[in-house]
Amino acid sequence: MSLLIRDGAVLSDDWLLLADGEAPPKTGKLIVSWDRWNAERTDLDLGALEVGLLLPNTLDVTAALGDLLGRPLLALSFPSFSDGRAYSQATLLRRRHHYAGELRATGQAVVRDQLQQMRTCGFDTFLLRNDQNPELCAKSFHDLTVAYQPNLLNISGLRPGKH
Amino acid sequence: MYRYDQYDQTLVDERVSQFRDQTERFLAGQLPDEEFRALRLRNGLYVQRFAPMLRISIPYGLLASRQLRMLAHIARTYDKDYGHFTTRQNIQYNWPELARVPDILADLASVQMHAIQTSGNCIRNITSDHLAGVAADEMLDPRPYCELTRQWATFHPEFNWLPRKFKIAFSAANGDRAAIRVHDIGVQIVCNAAGELGYTIYAGGGLGRTPIIGPMVREFLPEADLLSYFEAVLRVYNRLGRRDNIYKARIKILVKETGLARFRDLVEAEWEQIKDGELRLQAGDLDAMRSRFDRFEYDDAASLDTSFDRKLAQDTAFAAWAKRNLAVHRQPGYQIVFVSLKASGVAPGDMTAMQMDAVAELADRHSFGEIRVTHDQNLVLADVRQSEVYTLWQSLRDLGLATPNIGLLTDLICCPGLDFCSLANAGSISVAQDIFDLFDNLDDQHDIGPIKVKMSGCMNGCGHHSVGHIGILGVDKKGEEWYQVTLGGSAENDASLGDRTGPSFARDDIAPAIKKIIDVYLSLRNSEDESFLACYRRVGMAPFKARLYAVETA
């Protein structure tokens, strides 16, 4: 069972991740894939449902902003431990385009050894890989207490900052 | 030297703790092999043929004497009494014990050193001209720019999981000694017609399986825009670089497949969004960074010395060494001294703990306590009063570090090869020794003149064979070690890739083949002033090929 954490605390996940092909409920909070959203948005976007999107890490988020910025939740994908494309997606969404909803990290890299970098890039919730210990993950946000790029730049001694 | 402040130190110390925890979890079976591999590589730790290999970062090749002493301590305490300086100005140890690596990192942190990002698919050590700050042909000192870049790149949250490794090199001199055109980004610091400082940016160069001389992506980038432009390039690469095939994942393939014009447009469009943001350097930033480096007080009276010229006239061995192993310092009365790590019987770039301690001592005595590592795998003592050069030479000679061969045939670059590296297809160190034996006679070497021989034990190209005037590449043929030869490569201003001579050579034939190439050159050059490279470019491959592959008749 994967746990969801925010600010180091375990949250109950009230979003339902809908598999492609699975029928949507009438009300509630749903996460659907980007492809399904594009195919069925008129059926899904009816007001009674809150719809979040699961984005592939190959998506050019800047080109899709119109669909993304108003969503209450965007889930970005880390399909393997070492595929870091979603770091750039998160940075663009949060830092450049000021996306204000929940930005959720999902997939194989959502482990204690990468959480701190993810948070710096703008993720605020983390669906931990199911082998992860949430207490140790919470601690990992404090592995490094200083950085040269908290919000993308600090040059030591010139404009120092903190995580 | 760049001096750490508390901020820099805290980061390095915390990284030691983080890596110690990762190592302990791996040893306790709590971290999957593949993940520990990716994490340990980000700290320079490979698992090699016989033991782990630890690569330690030497930013832009600059070392303080106390740091070199620490490297000696590490060689003695954790390894087999030696270290190996690499073509990217770093040092590697071949025999550390995995469980003790965190202790090594803690020792390094105590002298402002680390192994951060010396491997893995992230931004690697920033390299530069080993004569930065002292070269006569330099416009300004590139090292403050390198350090800014190092800090921007260190644990950059967005760019720590790139498609592949990423290497950046800087040059600020007329002569490129940092091989900037074979880097993922090469930066030439320039001054434009209006007298403004800035950079010419090359991108998508690289060696390895698909060697490419990096094309220019921007002729003039204003000084303040360095980091924002890097960020734009890296963001385009992180998003669009291929991840389906490790051999097509470097940025050079992205540039090639996208097309230079389109790649440039993508970078410019991204840069346009961020160039006026927080990455833009502010007035005073570079001065502040410069102030973090030690400044040396040169003595104008040093040029009044007459003993140096007298010794040159009196001692022919000293004169022979001085001819090859000194370079012109921009301060009159001072000399740049090369410490050759290419001696017979020693793997190129190797240095013992005793030699490291001794050179640290010599640096303290003669060169403001500072040492540089060159990408040709030698060391430099850059600020020696000419009156002290003779004494220094005697000390280096006693240490076996005064082979008068800098820039000559036996000053060859070589990777660790099959003897240590798990990637290698063939040995390189023993071939280097064969070549050394064939050309040991210095008069012959002087006669041959400046030449760069570069050898790699596999096509990953750590020995930069593609850009050697003579390149040697070890290949595996049905379990046997064979060697391909290329001619005419260069990593300098006139950067070019070498051309294959033809079929590869068996282990016993490779050194004799090099001898034949040299013989052809000596017979065809139009004067003693025509270098091997110039001669090859004039006469082409045909005469070399004819001699190398001539059928022996009885």
Side-chain angles (χ1 to χ4, degrees), chain B residues 216-376:
Chain B
M216 184 172 74
V217 291
R218 199 166 220 283
E219 189 170 9
F220 185 80
L221 179 73
E223 187 185 32
D225 298 323
L226 183 70
L227 299 181
S228 58
Y229 195 84
F230 283 160
E231 184 117 335
V233 173
L234 265 295
R235 186 164 294 139
V236 168
Y237 174 54
N238 191 42
R239 286 184 49 233
L240 302 179
R242 285 180 63 173
R243 293 177 191 254
D244 59 325
N245 179 339
I246 187 175
Y247 300 116
K248 296 187 186 296
R250 293 282 293 271
I251 195 173
K252 61 191 173 189
I253 304 295
L254 178 66
V255 174
K256 201 172 147 201
E257 292 184 350
T258 311
L260 179 61
R262 169 91 183 116
F263 175 80
R264 183 183 285 138
D265 288 347
L266 288 167
V267 170
E268 292 282 326
E270 176 58 33
W271 182 58
E272 199 54 43
Q273 299 288 318
I274 56 178
K275 70 188 181 67
D276 299 318
E278 48 195 347
L279 284 170
R280 186 179 163 83
L281 296 173
Q282 296 165 17
D285 281 359
L286 275 160
D287 283 339
M289 186 52 85
R290 283 188 193 99
S291 75
R292 300 286 301 279
F293 282 78
D294 293 335
R295 294 187 83 87
F296 303 139
E297 294 298 326
Y298 295 111
D299 181 358
D300 288 335
S303 61
L304 303 176
D305 164 75
T306 54
S307 68
F308 178 66
D309 286 334
R310 200 166 59 244
K311 292 290 186 193
L312 285 176
Q314 286 169 353
D315 190 327
T316 54
F318 175 60
W321 172 84
K323 184 176 169 189
R324 294 312 324 172
N325 292 30
L326 296 182
V328 178
H329 198 293
R330 64 184 165 84
Q331 175 73 25
Y334 285 79
Q335 293 283 335
I336 299 166
V337 176
F338 283 79
V339 177
S340 174
L341 301 184
K342 316 290 174 64
S344 184
V346 179
D350 276 10
M351 196 173 192
T352 67
M354 186 277 287
Q355 288 173 322
M356 292 182 209
D357 274 335
V359 169
E361 181 61 31
L362 292 172
D364 283 339
R365 207 177 300 156
H366 300 294
S367 195
F368 298 113
E370 203 174 85
I371 302 100
R372 291 108 178 283
V373 183
T374 81
H375 86 269
D376 292 329

Side-chain angles (χ1 to χ4, degrees), chain B residues 107-234:
Chain B
D107 285 352
L108 288 170
S110 74
V111 293
Q112 307 185 353
M113 293 186 81
H114 60 77
I116 294 165
Q117 291 168 216
T118 53
S119 182
N121 297 336
C122 50
I123 304 170
R124 303 287 190 86
N125 186 29
I126 312 301
T127 57
S128 189
D129 185 350
H130 50 262
L131 303 186
V134 296
D137 68 341
E138 178 177 274
M139 193 178 76
L140 85 177
D141 189 341
R143 292 171 298 179
Y145 300 85
C146 296
E147 177 59 24
L148 271 176
T149 307
R150 183 191 77 84
Q151 297 192 11
W152 163 80
T154 299
F155 301 131
H156 195 300
E158 186 181 344
F159 305 133
N160 202 26
W161 301 94
L162 297 169
R164 199 75 180 88
K165 58 188 170 184
F166 202 94
K167 301 175 179 179
I168 301 175
F170 280 79
S171 169
N174 293 333
D176 176 10
R177 288 174 289 265
I180 64 170
R181 301 288 300 278
V182 291
H183 281 76
D184 296 282
I185 293 180
V187 182
Q188 177 74 41
I189 302 179
V190 295
C191 195
N192 70 7
E196 297 158 333
L197 271 180
Y199 322 91
T200 298
I201 307 282
Y202 301 89
L207 298 172
R209 196 167 290 242
T210 314
I212 293 178
I213 303 296
M216 184 172 74
V217 291
R218 199 166 220 283
E219 189 170 9
F220 185 80
L221 179 73
E223 187 185 32
D225 298 323
L226 183 70
L227 299 181
S228 58
Y229 195 84
F230 283 160
E231 184 117 335
V233 173
L234 265 295

